[in-house]
Amino acid sequence: MPLDPFFAERLRVHRRYLLGRALSSARTRLTALWPFGRSPEPPASRSSKPRLSPRARHRRAALSWDRSELANVGTPGPDVPVTEHEVPGSPPFRVRIHRPAGVDGPIPAVLSFYGGAFRIGGIDYPTTDAAHRRRAQDSGVAIVAVDYALAPEHRYPVQVEQAYAALEWLVAEGTQLGIDVDRLGVAGVSAGANLAAALTLVNRDRGAFPLRLQVLEVPVTDLTGRQLDLRATRALGIPSLIALRELRSVATTYLGAVRRAKEPYASPLRAESHAGVPPAVILTAEYDPLRGDGTAYGAALRAAGVDASVVQYLGVTHDTAIFTGVLPAARRWHDDVVTALRRLHG
């Protein structure tokens, strides 16, 4: 199916932005090489603020971009009861619980892991918080958002262990928080879906807690890159080399040593067995190179006897779920996630 006009326009604007940035960079380099007419740079002021690292600048820019996306193309979250807690771990981390308004009694809950290539994102990002609020209210399920540590400051398996610590904490504290600990699930987006899937394997292997559901949105399930479907990027005019380089960058940042991508908790698809994990609902996008990861993971689950469905949205891209304010497919995506979460009521 052709790329949705909404994304086609965004792609055109993005290409123009990249071209402008490349020209600006070239002009800067040429100016630096020209020996005439340049004034010496003034000495740095001692009172000037310390310069941010490139990674810190990138994260600040990503947060700013996310804020503008919610304002321009997203949907604000409703006013729902929210509490925040600190979970012991190495390092400790926050969870934020969004409860549906006006609902009494113990309710089901899902641990939710945000996306961001393991290196950006967080539960404070406006589109993430808004989605959690909407999903909690519309599904009647408490969304327990996990603010796991980012790479490269903290690398695998820190994030996986934090995910399991969050599950242990939720089971221990859930009853006091008005949560039915017999009706729990996990959910995640992109890198967060990787952690959600890994958590189901860790939980199964350690023989701990019953989980009833996993909802995986545009998941990356194999960090070796063997499931990447580069036809999706070529259809967008993005060279395959760039897509492969990006995945290698993500894997290196998160894992440290790329060879660790073969480990099942890093790449859940590569587990020897997927038997005994909870039923799965997997959502993928046509113009997303990770569509192959989702398809392959769904097939592996079904081969192991796990109830799993995989739905691919046509004409849309990796970040479709953000655009609920302007894109019908995004609103349908939200509805499908909510329908999946409601299975926990059963």
Side-chain angles (χ1 to χ4, degrees):
M1 181 176 179
L3 185 65
D4 187 280
F6 170 77
F7 289 110
E9 174 62 17
R10 288 175 69 90
L11 182 62
R12 185 186 66 79
V13 172
H14 185 60
R15 285 174 176 162
R16 188 172 60 191
Y17 162 75
L18 291 177
L19 177 60
R21 195 169 72 169
L23 291 174
S24 176
S25 177
R27 283 195 297 267
T28 300
R29 288 196 297 269
L30 288 172
T31 302
L33 292 171
W34 186 249
F36 305 108
R38 288 189 300 162
S39 301
E41 293 185 4
S45 170
R46 292 183 180 179
S47 62
S48 62
K49 294 181 180 179
R51 297 181 63 180
L52 293 174
S53 68
R55 189 168 301 281
R57 290 200 301 272
H58 175 59
R59 287 175 178 166
R60 187 167 68 175
L63 180 59
S64 177
W65 174 86
D66 190 81
R67 189 177 296 113
S68 67
E69 289 290 81
L70 179 63
N72 295 325
V73 293
T75 306
D79 185 12
V80 299
V82 175
T83 58
E84 203 164 284
H85 311 267
E86 183 170 290
V87 177
S90 184
F93 58 96
R94 293 180 298 152
V95 297
R96 181 177 295 160
I97 303 179
H98 307 79
R99 292 181 60 92
V103 177
D104 298 322
I107 59 173
V110 61
L111 286 167
S112 182
F113 301 89
Y114 60 85
F118 303 103
R119 36 190 196 194
I120 61 172
I123 63 175
D124 295 323
Y125 273 54
T127 62
T128 298
D129 186 75
H132 286 152
R133 290 169 178 269
R134 293 197 312 274
R135 291 174 177 188
Q137 185 61 38
D138 293 350
S139 68
V141 172
I143 307 296
V144 184
V146 181
D147 200 34
Y148 61 87
L150 295 176
E153 294 88 343
H154 301 278
R155 288 195 163 108
Y156 167 86
V158 167
Q159 292 80 357
V160 177
E161 292 298 333
Q162 286 182 321
Y164 188 69
L167 177 57
E168 287 186 307
W169 175 86
L170 185 59
V171 171
E173 303 293 334
T175 300
Q176 292 184 341
L177 297 169
I179 289 171
D180 184 347
V181 297
D182 293 322
R183 293 184 290 168
L184 299 179
V186 298
V189 178
S190 194
N194 172 287
L195 296 177
L199 174 56
T200 68
L201 294 172
V202 175
N203 184 61
R204 177 202 64 184
D205 295 346
R206 296 180 184 177
F209 312 109
L211 290 173
R212 292 193 177 191
L213 176 69
Q214 53 181 320
V215 181
L216 309 178
E217 302 173 58
V218 291
V220 52
T221 59
D222 187 355
L223 287 173
T224 70
R226 293 191 177 184
Q227 305 304 322
L228 277 185
D229 191 338
L230 296 176
R231 292 172 297 175
T233 55
R234 287 196 293 269
L236 293 174
I238 300 172
S240 298
L241 180 63
I242 293 178
L244 289 170
R245 186 174 63 188
E246 176 63 15
L247 180 76
R248 281 195 295 268
S249 173
V250 170
T252 301
T253 302
Y254 175 49
L255 302 174
V258 176
R259 67 178 181 277
R260 304 201 73 176
K262 296 180 180 180
E263 297 179 16
Y265 295 163
S267 296
L269 180 62
R270 301 180 70 87
E272 290 186 7
S273 171
H274 295 91
V277 301
V281 175
I282 302 171
L283 308 181
T284 68
E286 181 181 10
Y287 289 89
D288 179 10
L290 293 180
R291 67 190 186 186
D293 282 58
T295 300
Y297 200 61
L301 294 181
R302 285 196 288 247
V306 177
D307 179 353
S309 65
V310 182
V311 176
Q312 183 180 113
Y313 284 73
L314 301 182
V316 298
T317 65
H318 182 77
D319 52 354
T320 294
I322 292 176
F323 307 114
T324 49
V326 294
L327 189 65
R331 294 189 286 272
R332 175 58 187 270
W333 190 296
H334 167 80
D335 291 343
D336 285 350
V337 170
V338 166
T339 298
L341 294 178
R342 284 176 180 163
R343 292 169 61 172
L344 288 171
H345 289 290

